[in-house]
Amino acid sequence: MSDALINNVVHSIRKKLSAPAAASRSRRKRSISEPSLLWTPGQTLRISFVDPTEDDVKKAIFAAASEWLEYANLRFERVDDEDAAAEIRISTNGPEDASFSLLGTQSMQQEGASMLIGCPPGHDLFEHTVLHEFGHALGLHHEHQHPEADIPWDLEALRSLIRGILADEGVPDEEIEDKMEAELADNFLPMPQENLNVLPYDPESIMHYAVLQTHTQGDYETGLNLRLSEKDKQAARTLYPGK
Ligand SMILES: [Zn+2]
């Protein structure tokens, strides 16, 4: 089963260690959806690839992402590569097991790629990855961080997994400790409820990661969701009405 949470935390800490100035500009993700980060219903979002990507990969990403448009009143338009004005700027140049997207209109406040999709078409998790990252691009946050999620995380186990991976790569202990708590809060822990549009907690959401038993206290675990849930569809209709 995917250990996407740990992979993403480690990837994010590595990125901050290699580009601390750029990372400090980035805004912390903190909502199920924040009204201020949503696009305007009816808006066309331009999609541009920012590094060399085969055309069939672009088509596959576009096709998978377009499932959101059955529910959200938005349009996607593929534009030329490296179009800095595009609302969604995709890099495919990353590790298969780490992916990322800015939340909604955050992409207009930052330069460079707004989304990383390292998982290639044909991979078991390709569609999950595209739907999940485009959920972020539409302004949705992680469902496992829902204020009511109440997942019994084993934080000490998570800390030692993260420390172990980064220490093996030669990252000094104090740098790991310095970055780790913010990453845990950003990626695992429930978010405060204020300023959020929150629908009821949905463990079947595409925005909910698999939770491994080894990351929790007791025997709590959940599998990975591969399709949009009914609540994901409802969220898309609610946030972008008029379809
Ligand atoms: Zn995510």
Side-chain angles (χ1 to χ4, degrees):
M1 190 190 286
S2 161
D3 203 347
L5 278 168
I6 292 288
N7 292 336
N8 278 336
V9 167
V10 167
H11 183 67
S12 174
I13 292 176
R14 275 191 208 119
K15 248 174 42 184
K16 285 175 186 163
L17 291 171
S18 63
S24 70
R25 283 202 304 274
S26 80
R27 197 177 151 181
R28 284 177 60 171
K29 295 195 284 187
R30 53 177 291 277
S31 66
I32 294 297
S33 73
E34 270 178 69
S36 63
L37 295 179
L38 298 177
W39 307 101
T40 305
Q43 189 171 349
T44 296
L45 307 183
R46 290 163 291 179
I47 298 176
S48 178
F49 288 82
V50 300
D51 42 40
T53 302
E54 307 231 354
D55 205 49
D56 56 349
V57 174
K58 294 178 185 172
K59 283 190 181 131
I61 290 173
F62 194 83
S66 293
E67 190 179 341
W68 280 111
L69 304 185
E70 292 174 33
Y71 314 100
N73 181 19
L74 292 169
R75 276 186 275 285
F76 294 151
E77 180 191 356
R78 267 187 60 187
V79 296
D80 289 343
D81 290 349
E82 298 185 52
D83 183 341
E87 285 79 7
I88 299 176
R89 302 176 302 277
I90 302 176
S91 168
T92 52
N93 182 19
E96 199 172 274
D97 58 1
S99 51
F100 146 88
S101 173
L102 295 176
L103 275 185
T105 58
Q106 278 182 338
S107 71
M108 306 317 288
Q109 301 156 19
Q110 294 189 37
E111 294 175 0
S114 66
M115 181 183 292
L116 168 65
I117 296 190
C119 189
H123 190 288
D124 284 352
L125 299 183
F126 173 73
E127 289 190 331
H128 161 85
T129 301
V130 173
L131 287 169
H132 179 97
E133 299 312 333
F134 271 80
H136 286 317
L138 266 51
L140 299 176
H141 205 296
H142 286 145
E143 190 72 7
H144 56 267
Q145 294 181 270
H146 191 287
E148 289 155 19
D150 204 22
I151 295 169
W153 294 112
D154 184 343
L155 290 172
E156 270 316 307
L158 295 172
R159 289 187 185 106
S160 53
L161 279 166
I162 295 165
R163 274 187 203 114
I165 295 170
L166 290 168
D168 282 352
E169 296 175 5
V171 178
D173 288 350
E174 60 276 14
E175 299 214 31
I176 299 173
E177 301 305 317
D178 194 41
K179 305 279 186 297
M180 188 160 59
E181 295 308 314
E183 287 299 321
L184 287 172
D186 275 4
N187 288 281
F188 289 85
L189 303 180
M191 291 169 296
Q193 179 114 22
E194 76 264 22
N195 302 323
L196 303 180
N197 295 311
V198 180
L199 294 170
Y201 174 56
D202 174 21
E204 295 183 357
S205 170
I206 195 78
M207 304 312 294
H208 198 299
Y209 273 161
V211 178
L212 304 189
Q213 194 273 318
T214 49
H215 294 177
T216 63
Q217 299 173 9
D219 56 6
Y220 182 99
E221 63 181 331
T222 61
L224 192 67
N225 301 317
L226 298 176
R227 310 299 323 154
L228 297 185
S229 70
E230 287 311 309
K231 203 211 75 174
D232 293 329
K233 298 172 186 175
Q234 185 194 338
R237 288 191 198 99
T238 303
L239 299 176
Y240 298 104
K243 187 72 193 173

